[in-house]
């Protein structure tokens, strides 16, 4: 392969990785805050326990494939990137909630 093609692919991948990183931080930090409403706190604690107890890869697979297999919804091609952002954001929101709690 040509060095220029390889470099272009690496730069494109790095741009995508940076976009995922920035969007994950942007969405997960606010979701990591605990609510002041008592019944909602109990639900959030269960949510955190489940998310911290399952591997990130499993969560990404569920977010990506569950809409199709559960509801038979045909998803557009851009949903792959959205599923990555959703999966990473909910995973890291659970970890940020534990950080904020401590």
């Amino acid at each position: 392969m040509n060095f220029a093609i390889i470099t272009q692919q690496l730069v494109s991948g790095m741009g995508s990785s940076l976009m995922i990183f920035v969007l994950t931080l942007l969405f997960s930090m606010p979701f990591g805050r605990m609510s002041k409403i008592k019944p909602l706190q109990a639900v959030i604690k269960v949510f955190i326990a489940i998310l911290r107890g399952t591997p990130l890869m499993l969560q990404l697979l569920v977010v990506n494939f569950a809409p199709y297999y559960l509801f038979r919804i045909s998803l557009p091609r851009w949903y792959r990137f959205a599923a990555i952002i959703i999966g990473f954001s909910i995973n890291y929101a659970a970890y940020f909630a534990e950080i904020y709690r401590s």
Side-chain angles (χ1 to χ4, degrees):
M1 283 192 104
N2 190 356
F3 180 74
I5 294 171
I6 294 172
T7 304
Q8 181 183 14
Q9 290 175 343
L10 287 172
V11 168
S12 173
M14 190 170 97
S16 298
S17 295
L18 284 174
M19 179 81 76
I20 291 169
F21 171 74
V22 168
L23 290 174
T24 297
L25 278 180
L26 182 71
F27 293 124
S28 64
M29 289 183 81
F31 288 133
R33 300 254 184 235
M34 285 296 271
S35 175
K36 303 281 187 220
I37 303 168
K38 290 290 182 188
L40 191 57
Q41 283 181 356
V43 172
I44 291 172
K45 286 182 181 179
V46 170
F47 170 77
I48 290 170
I50 291 170
L51 288 177
R52 289 192 62 227
T54 58
L56 174 61
M57 190 61 158
L58 176 64
Q59 294 169 13
L60 291 173
L61 288 170
V62 167
V63 171
N64 191 31
F65 293 114
Y68 177 75
Y69 286 109
L70 291 177
F71 307 112
R72 297 291 183 217
I73 298 172
S74 180
L75 299 169
R77 189 169 172 85
W78 59 264
Y79 180 74
R80 292 182 199 170
F81 188 77
I84 291 169
I85 300 304
I86 293 167
F88 273 110
S89 294
I90 61 172
N91 181 272
Y92 283 98
Y95 282 96
F96 281 131
E98 290 297 309
I99 291 169
Y100 295 146
R101 184 181 63 85
S102 66

XYZ file of all heavy atoms in Angstrom:
825
model
N 0.838 -1.192 0.000
C 0.000 0.000 0.000
C 0.879 1.250 0.000
O 2.019 1.231 0.450
C -0.902 0.027 1.225
C -2.096 -0.881 1.156
S -3.251 -0.527 2.462
C -4.483 0.330 1.539
N 0.286 2.288 -0.423
C 0.969 3.566 -0.489
C 0.981 4.207 0.906
O -0.012 4.164 1.635
C 0.239 4.459 -1.490
C 0.995 5.713 -1.824
O 2.053 5.975 -1.265
N 0.440 6.479 -2.739
N 2.088 4.838 1.274
C 2.242 5.474 2.578
C 1.202 6.576 2.772
O 0.653 6.737 3.869
C 3.658 6.033 2.725
C 3.898 6.700 4.044
C 4.054 5.945 5.195
C 3.949 8.076 4.156
C 4.264 6.540 6.423
C 4.157 8.691 5.364
C 4.318 7.927 6.507
N 0.887 7.316 1.744
C -0.086 8.414 1.840
C -1.482 7.878 2.143
O -2.225 8.476 2.937
C -0.094 9.223 0.547
N -1.857 6.762 1.547
C -3.176 6.174 1.795
C -3.278 5.693 3.240
O -4.285 5.925 3.921
C -3.455 5.026 0.805
C -3.554 5.569 -0.618
C -4.732 4.274 1.193
C -3.621 4.494 -1.674
N -2.225 5.053 3.708
C -2.210 4.563 5.088
C -2.289 5.724 6.068
O -3.047 5.692 7.046
C -0.960 3.700 5.349
C -1.026 2.421 4.515
C -0.832 3.358 6.832
C 0.240 1.603 4.543
N -1.524 6.763 5.809
C -1.540 7.943 6.682
C -2.919 8.593 6.686
O -3.416 8.991 7.740
C -0.466 8.951 6.227
O 0.793 8.304 6.204
C -0.414 10.144 7.155
N -3.543 8.687 5.538
C -4.878 9.270 5.446
C -5.890 8.449 6.251
O -6.727 9.007 6.950
C -5.311 9.354 3.985
C -6.670 9.975 3.793
C -7.094 9.981 2.333
O -6.496 9.310 1.509
N -8.139 10.722 2.035
N -5.805 7.138 6.186
C -6.711 6.285 6.945
C -6.475 6.425 8.448
O -7.434 6.448 9.233
C -6.553 4.825 6.514
C -7.080 4.545 5.135
C -6.797 3.118 4.684
O -5.949 2.431 5.245
N -7.514 2.679 3.662
N -5.217 6.531 8.855
C -4.902 6.705 10.273
C -5.417 8.039 10.800
O -5.960 8.122 11.906
C -3.397 6.584 10.507
C -2.814 5.177 10.417
C -1.298 5.220 10.484
C -3.365 4.304 11.521
N -5.249 9.088 10.023
C -5.727 10.410 10.434
C -7.249 10.417 10.517
O -7.826 10.982 11.449
C -5.201 11.499 9.471
C -5.901 12.822 9.696
C -3.708 11.663 9.630
N -7.908 9.758 9.574
C -9.368 9.665 9.608
C -9.833 8.910 10.851
O -10.784 9.325 11.524
C -9.860 8.957 8.351
O -11.236 8.710 8.427
N -9.180 7.817 11.166
C -9.518 7.049 12.360
C -9.275 7.829 13.638
O -10.055 7.742 14.586
N -8.196 8.605 13.669
C -7.906 9.419 14.843
C -8.968 10.501 15.029
O -9.395 10.786 16.150
C -6.527 10.064 14.722
C -6.067 10.718 16.000
S -4.358 11.203 15.919
C -4.529 12.900 15.491
N -9.429 11.067 13.917
C -10.501 12.066 13.992
C -11.777 11.462 14.546
O -12.455 12.071 15.385
N -12.116 10.264 14.106
C -13.311 9.586 14.624
C -13.167 9.272 16.107
O -14.105 9.444 16.883
C -13.567 8.293 13.851
O -13.820 8.559 12.500
N -11.985 8.830 16.510
C -11.739 8.518 17.923
C -11.850 9.764 18.791
O -12.424 9.716 19.887
C -10.357 7.891 18.100
O -10.296 6.655 17.460
N -11.322 10.875 18.315
C -11.427 12.128 19.074
C -12.877 12.593 19.171
O -13.308 13.093 20.216
C -10.561 13.209 18.439
C -9.066 13.081 18.689
C -8.284 14.115 17.881
C -8.754 13.234 20.167
N -13.635 12.423 18.094
C -15.049 12.796 18.109
C -15.803 11.938 19.120
O -16.616 12.453 19.895
C -15.654 12.619 16.727
C -17.115 12.960 16.652
S -17.430 14.692 16.504
C -17.001 14.912 14.801
N -15.543 10.642 19.157
C -16.179 9.750 20.128
C -15.811 10.170 21.552
O -16.671 10.238 22.434
C -15.788 8.286 19.867
C -16.417 7.800 18.559
C -16.196 7.382 21.028
C -15.878 6.476 18.074
N -14.540 10.484 21.774
C -14.077 10.900 23.101
C -14.787 12.167 23.567
O -15.317 12.230 24.684
C -12.562 11.108 23.069
C -12.012 11.737 24.317
C -11.904 11.012 25.479
C -11.613 13.054 24.318
C -11.405 11.586 26.639
C -11.101 13.649 25.455
C -11.004 12.907 26.617
N -14.830 13.178 22.727
C -15.424 14.465 23.096
C -16.927 14.315 23.350
O -17.450 14.817 24.351
C -15.141 15.531 22.009
C -15.977 16.780 22.223
C -13.668 15.877 21.976
N -17.623 13.628 22.450
C -19.066 13.454 22.626
C -19.400 12.598 23.847
O -20.383 12.854 24.542
C -19.687 12.858 21.357
C -19.711 13.793 20.151
C -20.200 13.057 18.914
C -20.551 15.017 20.420
N -18.577 11.600 24.123
C -18.797 10.773 25.311
C -18.659 11.609 26.578
O -19.497 11.520 27.478
C -17.817 9.591 25.337
O -18.053 8.762 24.207
C -17.974 8.771 26.602
N -17.634 12.425 26.653
C -17.476 13.298 27.824
C -18.621 14.290 27.931
O -19.149 14.536 29.021
C -16.154 14.056 27.754
C -14.923 13.311 28.215
C -13.688 14.200 28.090
C -15.065 12.834 29.638
N -19.012 14.856 26.810
C -20.071 15.860 26.793
C -21.391 15.299 27.318
O -22.106 15.969 28.062
C -20.258 16.382 25.359
C -21.296 17.465 25.146
C -20.810 18.775 25.764
C -21.564 17.647 23.674
N -21.715 14.058 26.957
C -22.993 13.471 27.372
C -22.916 12.719 28.699
O -23.897 12.685 29.439
C -23.526 12.529 26.293
C -23.925 13.241 25.032
C -23.389 12.881 23.816
C -24.829 14.282 25.070
C -23.742 13.531 22.649
C -25.202 14.951 23.914
C -24.656 14.575 22.702
N -21.794 12.101 29.015
C -21.750 11.256 30.209
C -21.560 12.042 31.503
O -22.071 11.620 32.539
C -20.658 10.200 30.082
O -19.386 10.801 30.024
N -20.857 13.151 31.460
C -20.640 13.894 32.706
C -21.937 14.435 33.307
O -22.170 14.268 34.505
C -19.604 14.985 32.497
C -18.209 14.407 32.327
S -16.944 15.646 32.152
C -16.683 16.071 33.856
N -22.824 15.062 32.533
C -24.085 15.509 33.150
C -24.977 14.351 33.611
O -25.659 14.458 34.621
C -24.788 16.288 32.028
C -23.743 16.603 31.044
C -22.696 15.544 31.166
N -24.975 13.235 32.882
C -25.807 12.096 33.271
C -25.275 11.402 34.515
O -25.992 10.629 35.155
C -25.918 11.081 32.136
C -26.768 11.548 30.990
C -26.329 11.407 29.691
C -27.999 12.132 31.220
C -27.103 11.830 28.632
C -28.788 12.567 30.166
C -28.337 12.415 28.869
N -24.037 11.648 34.883
C -23.464 11.025 36.062
C -23.893 11.671 37.361
O -23.662 11.132 38.434
N -24.520 12.809 37.295
C -24.989 13.498 38.507
C -26.186 12.770 39.096
O -27.073 12.318 38.378
C -25.390 14.931 38.179
C -24.261 15.739 37.606
C -23.780 16.698 38.647
N -22.758 17.553 38.058
C -21.570 17.690 38.564
N -21.244 17.038 39.651
N -20.692 18.489 38.021
N -26.210 12.704 40.418
C -27.337 12.057 41.099
C -28.495 13.040 41.233
O -28.296 14.243 41.355
C -26.919 11.588 42.496
C -26.062 10.352 42.488
S -26.898 8.925 41.845
C -27.625 8.287 43.317
N -29.693 12.503 41.234
C -30.892 13.306 41.368
C -31.180 13.571 42.843
O -30.783 12.810 43.719
C -32.064 12.569 40.736
O -33.255 13.263 40.959
N -31.902 14.641 43.108
C -32.315 14.966 44.480
C -33.622 14.258 44.852
O -33.995 14.213 46.005
C -32.510 16.480 44.619
C -31.288 17.294 44.273
C -30.303 17.302 45.394
C -29.181 18.290 45.048
N -27.906 17.804 45.427
N -34.305 13.680 43.878
C -35.579 13.012 44.104
C -35.306 11.586 44.600
O -34.626 10.808 43.934
C -36.414 12.983 42.811
C -36.615 14.406 42.292
C -37.745 12.286 43.032
C -37.161 14.476 40.884
N -35.824 11.239 45.771
C -35.518 9.956 46.424
C -35.901 8.725 45.596
O -35.087 7.829 45.447
C -36.176 9.891 47.809
C -35.543 10.830 48.809
C -34.170 10.362 49.191
C -33.583 11.304 50.223
N -32.204 11.048 50.506
N -37.128 8.628 45.050
C -37.444 7.421 44.273
C -36.555 7.277 43.029
O -36.196 6.170 42.647
C -38.905 7.620 43.855
C -39.449 8.621 44.801
C -38.299 9.477 45.210
N -36.203 8.394 42.438
C -35.341 8.361 41.266
C -33.924 7.926 41.636
O -33.252 7.262 40.857
C -35.330 9.732 40.585
C -34.693 9.820 39.212
C -35.357 8.853 38.249
C -34.784 11.233 38.690
N -33.484 8.250 42.842
C -32.154 7.827 43.302
C -32.059 6.305 43.365
O -31.027 5.739 43.014
C -31.851 8.419 44.675
C -31.469 9.870 44.641
C -31.159 10.415 46.033
O -31.311 9.710 47.040
N -30.728 11.654 46.085
N -33.124 5.655 43.800
C -33.116 4.188 43.872
C -33.002 3.578 42.486
O -32.244 2.625 42.276
C -34.378 3.695 44.573
N -33.716 4.133 41.533
C -33.655 3.643 40.152
C -32.251 3.859 39.587
O -31.690 2.976 38.922
C -34.719 4.350 39.277
C -34.542 4.002 37.812
C -36.106 4.007 39.759
N -31.668 5.005 39.866
C -30.331 5.323 39.362
C -29.291 4.392 39.981
O -28.358 3.954 39.298
C -29.990 6.802 39.622
C -30.864 7.698 38.734
C -28.523 7.084 39.374
C -30.754 9.172 39.028
N -29.443 4.050 41.253
C -28.499 3.128 41.896
C -28.539 1.745 41.245
O -27.503 1.115 41.054
C -28.775 3.032 43.395
C -28.319 4.253 44.150
C -28.565 4.122 45.629
C -28.123 5.388 46.343
N -28.347 5.328 47.777
N -29.734 1.276 40.901
C -29.861 -0.010 40.206
C -29.223 0.086 38.821
O -28.489 -0.813 38.393
C -31.345 -0.442 40.113
C -31.522 -1.636 39.202
C -31.894 -0.722 41.493
N -29.508 1.173 38.129
C -28.934 1.435 36.814
C -27.400 1.407 36.872
O -26.745 0.761 36.055
C -29.445 2.804 36.341
C -28.784 3.354 35.122
C -29.107 2.887 33.863
C -27.847 4.372 35.227
C -28.518 3.422 32.730
C -27.247 4.899 34.111
C -27.588 4.420 32.852
N -26.829 2.058 37.864
C -25.369 2.106 38.024
C -24.817 0.713 38.315
O -23.795 0.310 37.757
C -24.982 3.113 39.126
C -25.262 4.541 38.662
C -23.513 2.962 39.516
C -25.142 5.581 39.752
N -25.491 -0.030 39.185
C -25.026 -1.376 39.525
C -25.021 -2.292 38.307
O -24.073 -3.065 38.105
C -25.899 -1.967 40.633
N -26.057 -2.195 37.493
C -26.126 -3.038 36.291
C -25.045 -2.635 35.294
O -24.332 -3.478 34.750
C -27.523 -2.956 35.648
C -28.550 -3.631 36.546
C -27.523 -3.572 34.255
C -29.982 -3.401 36.145
N -24.915 -1.341 35.051
C -23.959 -0.882 34.047
C -22.510 -1.118 34.461
O -21.670 -1.430 33.619
C -24.172 0.595 33.731
C -25.423 0.876 32.918
C -25.600 2.369 32.714
C -25.366 0.177 31.586
N -22.224 -0.977 35.736
C -20.851 -1.207 36.176
C -20.534 -2.691 36.266
O -19.382 -3.083 36.284
C -20.602 -0.534 37.525
C -20.568 0.981 37.371
C -20.063 1.702 38.580
N -18.699 1.306 38.858
C -18.255 0.961 40.062
N -19.061 0.971 41.091
N -16.998 0.628 40.244
N -21.579 -3.530 36.305
C -21.368 -4.971 36.424
C -21.317 -5.700 35.094
O -21.057 -6.897 35.062
N -21.588 -4.997 34.008
C -21.537 -5.632 32.691
C -20.400 -5.025 31.872
O -20.089 -3.846 32.021
C -22.862 -5.447 31.930
O -23.144 -4.049 31.803
C -24.009 -6.148 32.625
N -19.800 -5.804 31.015
C -18.690 -5.290 30.201
C -19.169 -4.242 29.184
O -20.297 -4.313 28.676
C -18.160 -6.515 29.464
C -18.785 -7.690 30.103
C -20.003 -7.228 30.815
N -18.299 -3.309 28.887
C -18.612 -2.259 27.919
C -18.950 -2.847 26.559
O -19.881 -2.394 25.886
C -17.432 -1.283 27.796
C -17.550 -0.212 26.718
C -18.750 0.684 26.967
C -16.279 0.608 26.652
N -18.227 -3.870 26.146
C -18.487 -4.468 24.831
C -19.904 -5.033 24.752
O -20.574 -4.894 23.720
C -17.451 -5.561 24.546
C -17.499 -6.048 23.148
S -17.146 -4.681 22.059
C -16.625 -5.529 20.627
N -20.383 -5.644 25.817
C -21.750 -6.162 25.843
C -22.752 -5.019 25.729
O -23.742 -5.117 24.996
C -21.992 -6.954 27.131
C -23.405 -7.482 27.334
C -23.759 -8.484 26.255
C -23.534 -8.090 28.709
N -22.508 -3.924 26.430
C -23.401 -2.774 26.357
C -23.435 -2.187 24.955
O -24.501 -1.831 24.440
C -22.963 -1.711 27.361
C -23.115 -2.151 28.789
C -22.434 -1.218 29.759
O -22.040 -0.109 29.400
N -22.290 -1.660 30.994
N -22.279 -2.108 24.309
C -22.228 -1.590 22.941
C -22.994 -2.498 21.982
O -23.708 -2.017 21.097
C -20.773 -1.435 22.478
C -19.971 -0.333 23.159
C -18.519 -0.418 22.740
C -20.537 1.028 22.835
N -22.855 -3.807 22.154
C -23.587 -4.743 21.306
C -25.096 -4.623 21.511
O -25.869 -4.650 20.548
C -23.126 -6.172 21.570
C -21.748 -6.534 21.044
C -21.305 -7.891 21.575
C -21.723 -6.526 19.530
N -25.528 -4.484 22.750
C -26.961 -4.353 23.040
C -27.514 -3.075 22.428
O -28.564 -3.087 21.775
C -27.225 -4.402 24.562
C -28.637 -3.965 24.893
C -26.958 -5.791 25.100
N -26.809 -1.960 22.621
C -27.291 -0.688 22.072
C -27.333 -0.736 20.549
O -28.249 -0.198 19.926
C -26.415 0.489 22.564
C -26.758 1.768 21.835
C -26.576 0.682 24.058
N -26.382 -1.407 19.946
C -26.318 -1.457 18.488
C -27.358 -2.396 17.879
O -28.014 -2.049 16.900
C -24.916 -1.869 18.045
C -24.699 -1.677 16.568
O -25.274 -0.788 15.953
N -23.868 -2.514 15.987
N -27.539 -3.577 18.465
C -28.382 -4.594 17.834
C -29.777 -4.743 18.432
O -30.659 -5.313 17.799
C -27.684 -5.956 17.869
C -26.450 -5.993 17.018
C -25.200 -6.148 17.597
C -26.532 -5.867 15.648
C -24.050 -6.182 16.820
C -25.400 -5.895 14.860
C -24.155 -6.056 15.441
N -30.005 -4.274 19.647
C -31.308 -4.464 20.300
C -32.473 -3.836 19.540
O -33.526 -4.481 19.433
C -31.267 -3.952 21.733
N -32.358 -2.624 19.017
C -33.529 -2.072 18.302
C -33.990 -2.957 17.139
O -35.192 -3.119 16.918
C -33.043 -0.720 17.793
C -31.963 -0.338 18.732
C -31.299 -1.627 19.120
N -33.054 -3.545 16.436
C -33.440 -4.401 15.305
C -34.039 -5.718 15.783
O -35.107 -6.120 15.318
C -32.242 -4.674 14.401
C -32.590 -5.617 13.278
C -33.334 -5.185 12.200
C -32.220 -6.960 13.325
C -33.689 -6.062 11.178
C -32.566 -7.838 12.321
C -33.300 -7.383 11.241
O -33.658 -8.244 10.251
N -33.368 -6.384 16.711
C -33.822 -7.709 17.113
C -35.045 -7.684 18.035
O -35.821 -8.626 18.059
C -32.689 -8.497 17.762
C -31.686 -8.969 16.742
C -30.422 -8.412 16.669
C -32.021 -9.948 15.824
C -29.509 -8.830 15.715
C -31.123 -10.381 14.863
C -29.869 -9.822 14.813
O -28.980 -10.232 13.866
N -35.229 -6.622 18.789
C -36.399 -6.549 19.667
C -37.631 -5.987 18.964
O -38.741 -6.452 19.173
C -36.085 -5.694 20.901
C -35.100 -6.279 21.899
C -34.835 -5.284 23.021
C -35.614 -7.585 22.464
N -37.417 -4.956 18.146
C -38.553 -4.252 17.541
C -38.613 -4.368 16.022
O -39.487 -3.783 15.402
C -38.500 -2.770 17.935
C -38.399 -2.545 19.406
C -37.246 -2.010 19.961
C -39.439 -2.893 20.250
C -37.148 -1.807 21.324
C -39.346 -2.691 21.610
C -38.197 -2.153 22.148
N -37.658 -5.073 15.423
C -37.583 -5.226 13.963
C -37.538 -3.876 13.251
O -38.145 -3.681 12.204
C -38.742 -6.058 13.425
C -38.772 -7.464 13.927
C -37.610 -8.243 13.349
N -37.708 -9.637 13.791
C -36.667 -10.361 14.089
N -35.466 -9.869 13.976
N -36.805 -11.601 14.491
N -36.824 -2.932 13.868
C -36.666 -1.606 13.278
C -35.437 -1.635 12.377
O -34.347 -1.987 12.811
C -36.474 -0.537 14.382
C -37.700 -0.472 15.270
C -36.182 0.814 13.764
C -37.522 0.414 16.484
N -35.613 -1.251 11.137
C -34.486 -1.148 10.223
C -33.787 0.188 10.486
O -34.392 1.253 10.358
C -34.978 -1.207 8.774
O -33.891 -1.100 7.899
N -32.532 0.123 10.877
C -31.812 1.326 11.287
C -30.944 1.865 10.160
O -30.358 1.091 9.399
C -30.947 1.009 12.508
C -31.729 0.555 13.730
C -30.801 0.020 14.793
C -32.558 1.694 14.275
N -30.841 3.185 10.076
C -29.981 3.762 9.039
C -28.503 3.547 9.369
O -28.133 3.200 10.496
C -30.333 5.253 9.074
C -30.907 5.485 10.417
C -31.537 4.204 10.854
N -27.666 3.775 8.392
C -26.231 3.547 8.543
C -25.598 4.441 9.612
O -24.688 4.030 10.312
C -25.545 3.765 7.197
C -24.120 3.356 7.158
C -23.626 3.352 5.715
N -22.207 3.153 5.629
C -21.620 1.971 5.624
N -22.350 0.881 5.712
N -20.325 1.862 5.540
N -26.103 5.688 9.769
C -25.528 6.601 10.749
C -25.779 6.151 12.187
O -25.137 6.631 13.116
C -26.050 8.026 10.554
C -27.536 8.163 10.672
C -28.437 8.165 9.643
C -28.306 8.300 11.867
N -29.718 8.279 10.130
C -29.662 8.372 11.497
C -27.986 8.362 13.214
C -30.688 8.506 12.420
C -29.009 8.497 14.134
C -30.343 8.566 13.733
N -26.718 5.219 12.399
C -27.019 4.765 13.760
C -25.832 4.058 14.407
O -25.714 4.044 15.626
C -28.250 3.845 13.766
C -28.578 3.365 15.161
C -29.162 4.219 16.080
C -28.276 2.073 15.565
C -29.438 3.797 17.367
C -28.548 1.640 16.840
C -29.131 2.508 17.738
O -29.392 2.097 19.018
N -24.950 3.500 13.614
C -23.764 2.834 14.183
C -22.964 3.805 15.045
O -22.566 3.477 16.163
C -22.866 2.288 13.083
C -23.450 1.149 12.327
C -22.452 0.684 11.305
N -23.102 -0.101 10.276
C -22.529 -0.484 9.170
N -21.280 -0.148 8.932
N -23.180 -1.197 8.302
N -22.717 5.003 14.506
C -21.957 5.998 15.267
C -22.763 6.462 16.483
O -22.214 6.612 17.574
C -21.594 7.192 14.369
C -20.653 8.152 15.021
C -19.310 7.853 15.125
C -21.109 9.347 15.538
C -18.433 8.725 15.725
C -20.241 10.234 16.146
C -18.898 9.929 16.242
N -24.062 6.655 16.305
C -24.917 7.057 17.429
C -24.931 5.984 18.511
O -24.915 6.296 19.709
C -26.331 7.342 16.930
N -24.945 4.711 18.117
C -24.930 3.617 19.090
C -23.635 3.616 19.891
O -23.643 3.340 21.096
C -25.120 2.279 18.386
N -22.535 3.938 19.238
C -21.253 4.022 19.944
C -21.308 5.127 20.987
O -20.908 4.930 22.139
C -20.102 4.256 18.949
C -19.886 3.024 18.081
C -18.821 4.643 19.672
C -18.958 3.251 16.910
N -21.821 6.286 20.602
C -21.898 7.419 21.533
C -22.849 7.086 22.683
O -22.543 7.352 23.855
C -22.362 8.697 20.797
C -21.386 9.069 19.674
C -22.528 9.857 21.767
C -19.961 9.261 20.116
N -23.993 6.493 22.392
C -24.954 6.124 23.440
C -24.340 5.100 24.387
O -24.419 5.241 25.616
C -26.253 5.579 22.814
C -26.983 6.677 22.065
C -27.157 4.961 23.879
C -28.094 6.176 21.162
N -23.722 4.063 23.837
C -23.129 3.013 24.666
C -22.021 3.526 25.569
O -22.006 3.250 26.772
N -21.094 4.282 25.002
C -20.013 4.838 25.815
C -20.554 5.816 26.849
O -20.087 5.843 27.993
C -18.972 5.547 24.940
C -17.901 4.640 24.406
C -17.851 4.340 23.054
C -16.943 4.106 25.235
C -16.867 3.513 22.543
C -15.949 3.280 24.740
C -15.918 2.978 23.389
N -21.533 6.626 26.469
C -22.056 7.642 27.388
C -22.745 7.019 28.590
O -22.525 7.462 29.726
C -23.023 8.570 26.658
O -22.337 9.312 25.679
N -23.574 6.000 28.376
C -24.246 5.395 29.535
C -23.252 4.640 30.409
O -23.375 4.630 31.633
C -25.433 4.498 29.133
C -24.992 3.330 28.267
C -26.519 5.295 28.467
C -26.084 2.310 27.986
N -22.241 4.027 29.788
C -21.227 3.324 30.572
C -20.434 4.298 31.439
O -20.276 4.082 32.638
C -20.294 2.548 29.649
C -19.257 1.782 30.418
O -18.190 2.314 30.734
N -19.548 0.538 30.726
N -19.953 5.352 30.843
C -19.134 6.292 31.590
C -19.959 7.154 32.533
O -19.436 7.636 33.544
C -18.275 7.135 30.653
C -17.100 6.335 30.167
C -17.114 5.705 28.931
C -15.987 6.151 30.975
C -16.051 4.935 28.504
C -14.925 5.384 30.553
C -14.962 4.775 29.317
O -13.909 4.009 28.905
N -21.249 7.343 32.259
C -22.109 8.058 33.202
C -22.187 7.296 34.525
O -22.180 7.902 35.599
C -23.502 8.249 32.611
N -22.236 5.970 34.442
C -22.263 5.161 35.669
C -20.959 5.330 36.450
O -20.976 5.437 37.678
C -22.494 3.693 35.325
N -19.848 5.367 35.766
C -18.574 5.552 36.447
C -18.434 6.966 37.009
O -17.934 7.155 38.114
C -17.405 5.212 35.518
C -17.207 3.733 35.394
C -17.749 3.022 34.335
C -16.514 3.020 36.364
C -17.601 1.655 34.225
C -16.357 1.649 36.272
C -16.901 0.975 35.199
O -16.755 -0.373 35.119
N -18.892 7.963 36.264
C -18.849 9.334 36.781
C -19.757 9.490 37.988
O -19.434 10.243 38.913
C -19.225 10.342 35.695
C -18.118 10.633 34.733
C -18.344 10.588 33.365
C -16.842 10.943 35.173
C -17.333 10.839 32.464
C -15.822 11.198 34.288
C -16.062 11.164 32.923
N -20.895 8.794 38.023
C -21.776 8.851 39.185
C -21.061 8.344 40.432
O -21.194 8.917 41.519
C -23.034 8.036 38.929
N -20.277 7.282 40.282
C -19.504 6.779 41.421
C -18.397 7.751 41.823
O -18.114 7.920 43.006
C -18.914 5.415 41.092
C -19.938 4.306 41.009
C -20.631 4.078 42.334
O -19.944 3.928 43.370
O -21.878 4.041 42.333
N -17.804 8.399 40.882
C -16.761 9.391 41.177
C -17.381 10.571 41.911
O -16.845 11.042 42.928
C -16.057 9.846 39.886
C -15.217 8.717 39.318
C -15.194 11.082 40.150
C -14.681 8.968 37.916
N -18.517 11.081 41.428
C -19.177 12.205 42.071
C -19.649 11.821 43.473
O -19.612 12.637 44.389
C -20.380 12.688 41.257
C -20.034 13.272 39.913
C -20.878 13.111 38.830
C -18.859 13.990 39.716
C -20.580 13.660 37.595
C -18.547 14.519 38.479
C -19.413 14.346 37.421
O -19.103 14.891 36.204
N -20.116 10.589 43.641
C -20.604 10.129 44.940
C -19.492 10.124 45.986
O -19.691 10.486 47.124
C -21.208 8.735 44.813
C -21.823 8.218 46.086
C -22.380 6.820 45.889
N -21.369 5.840 45.564
C -20.623 5.170 46.457
N -20.824 5.392 47.741
N -19.732 4.301 46.086
N -18.319 9.726 45.554
C -17.207 9.665 46.505
C -16.655 11.042 46.743
O -16.162 11.384 47.753
C -16.121 8.742 45.996
O -15.518 9.273 44.822
